[in-house]
Structure formats: structure tokens, C-alpha cells
Amino acid sequence: MTINFYQTNARQFFDSTVNVDMSSLYAAFTEQLAPNARVLDAGCGSGRDSKAFREMGYQVEAFDASSEMVTLASRHAAVPVRQLSFHELTDTERYQGIWCCASLLHLPASQLPDAMQKLARALMPGGVWYVSFKYGDSERVKEGRHFTDLNEQTFSKLIQPLPGIHIQSTWLTEDKRPDRNETWLNALLRKA
């Protein structure tokens, strides 16, 4: 269902997100990364963040489940973008940084633990991992997309079973898009 939304609305979604200023969120993530680190943009959407990280000098790889978004993102970001779902990720200890900006929230709550396990496995020891979810504690479908909202407690429960992963910090932000009035839960995770 959610993939169909992005297949059908890829250009409109690209246009509405590609120029959003995410620099304050990038800073929290990149200050934890070594120069030239390998970063995975997981569920990359428009490729906006992939492009920003590439321009900062990181080795960026990305994936998205929608073939239409993959096409737009790879063109925009000029990085390798694979068509892949979270459940198909098989990388092991490959990335020093993983960026999941507004992507994991499209998974049903029942599928989040498996996706988180796969991402945790892909992160190198000492690596940093950014995630964001709309703030709340419900699952819903809105305009053809599934959303799982998390708060600090539900997020903490999700992270608990991941071996070696701990929450470094969480904070709330308002949506960066001028036409939106939503609160986001942001988190930085670290792998021991």
C-alpha cells in the first residue's frame, strides 16, 4: 500500500521534500562520523539526504522500496541507490553511519523489530544510527500510507532487544516543512 503511494506520487513527493533544510539534523549525526565514513541512507526517498552527505565527503549508499523513488533519488543524489525493502537488507557491519529519516515509520509495528535487527547488523561496531518517527503511540493509514508513530517509551522498547545498540540521545523537533504542523521523535543510536 505505502509503496503504491510512492510509485504513483513519486514526483510530487520528490518536489515537496527535496529542498527541505535538514542541516540541524545532519549536524547531530555527522559530528559523530569520521571523515569519509561509509553512510547508508535507508529508505532514502528523494535522495535529498544522500546528496547532502555525498557533498560533505561521505561514501554514501542508499536504498528505497519504490522503483520510482530509486530513479529520482539516484539521479538527484548521484550515489548508488538500490531498490530494496528493509527486510531484504543483508549487509553485515558495512556502515559507520546509518540514516533512517522518516522511513521506518512506514512499517507496521509488527515488522519494525525485524527491520531494526537487520539495520543493527549492517552497522559497524562504534557506528552511529539516526532514526525519526512521527511522535505518538499509534498506527494509522493516512492518504494511502501506513504510519507507526513512536514516543520515547515505545521507542525504548523497540531498541531494548538489539544486541550492542544503545540510545545515545532522543529529542523532539517540529516538522521542517512550512505547511506541516507535526512533532517528530529523533534519536541517535550507537553500536558498542
Side-chain angles (χ1 to χ4, degrees):
M1 163 185 54
T2 300
I3 292 173
N4 289 341
F5 172 90
Y6 287 107
Q7 289 292 93
T8 308
N9 300 286
R11 174 49 71 179
Q12 180 187 347
F13 179 79
F14 179 92
D15 291 342
S16 72
T17 59
V18 74
N19 292 315
V20 176
D21 179 7
M22 303 293 283
S23 53
S24 62
L25 294 175
Y26 297 154
F29 177 67
T30 58
E31 69 187 18
Q32 315 276 326
L33 290 173
N36 202 34
R38 182 181 288 129
V39 172
L40 175 65
D41 187 356
C44 67
S46 66
R48 169 198 65 212
D49 305 334
S50 296
K51 180 178 192 235
F53 295 139
R54 179 183 58 77
E55 289 174 348
M56 290 177 208
Y58 298 108
Q59 302 172 58
V60 182
E61 296 174 23
F63 71 80
D64 200 275
S66 159
S67 61
E68 292 295 323
M69 293 312 304
V70 166
T71 300
L72 292 170
S74 57
R75 202 176 298 145
H76 177 70
V79 302
V81 181
R82 297 181 279 173
Q83 184 182 351
L84 200 67
S85 73
F86 286 103
H87 304 293
E88 296 169 310
L89 184 66
T90 58
D91 297 326
T92 301
E93 295 186 359
R94 178 168 174 78
Y95 304 100
Q96 285 120 338
I98 295 179
W99 179 262
C100 297
C101 183
S103 54
L104 286 161
L105 55 71
H106 288 312
L107 294 177
S110 63
Q111 294 177 16
L112 274 171
D114 177 64
M116 297 298 281
Q117 289 281 356
K118 288 184 161 63
L119 288 159
R121 189 178 60 221
L123 189 63
M124 293 173 70
V128 65
W129 178 9
Y130 169 83
V131 298
S132 64
F133 288 87
K134 292 186 184 202
Y135 193 71
D137 61 359
S138 64
E139 281 191 82
R140 60 201 159 77
V141 173
K142 184 179 176 191
E143 298 165 1
R145 293 184 291 173
H146 181 278
F147 291 93
T148 298
D149 302 336
L150 296 182
N151 58 33
E152 294 89 347
Q153 292 76 28
T154 51
F155 181 70
S156 185
K157 266 189 226 163
L158 179 65
I159 301 308
Q160 217 167 0
L162 300 175
I165 301 289
H166 70 270
I167 299 172
Q168 187 169 300
S169 60
T170 60
W171 69 100
L172 300 180
T173 53
E174 295 307 310
D175 202 298
K176 303 286 183 196
R177 295 166 291 184
D179 59 331
R180 297 293 180 96
N181 184 22
E182 294 174 308
T183 301
W184 290 81
L185 174 68
N186 305 271
L188 279 177
L189 306 172
R190 179 69 77 171
K191 187 172 188 175

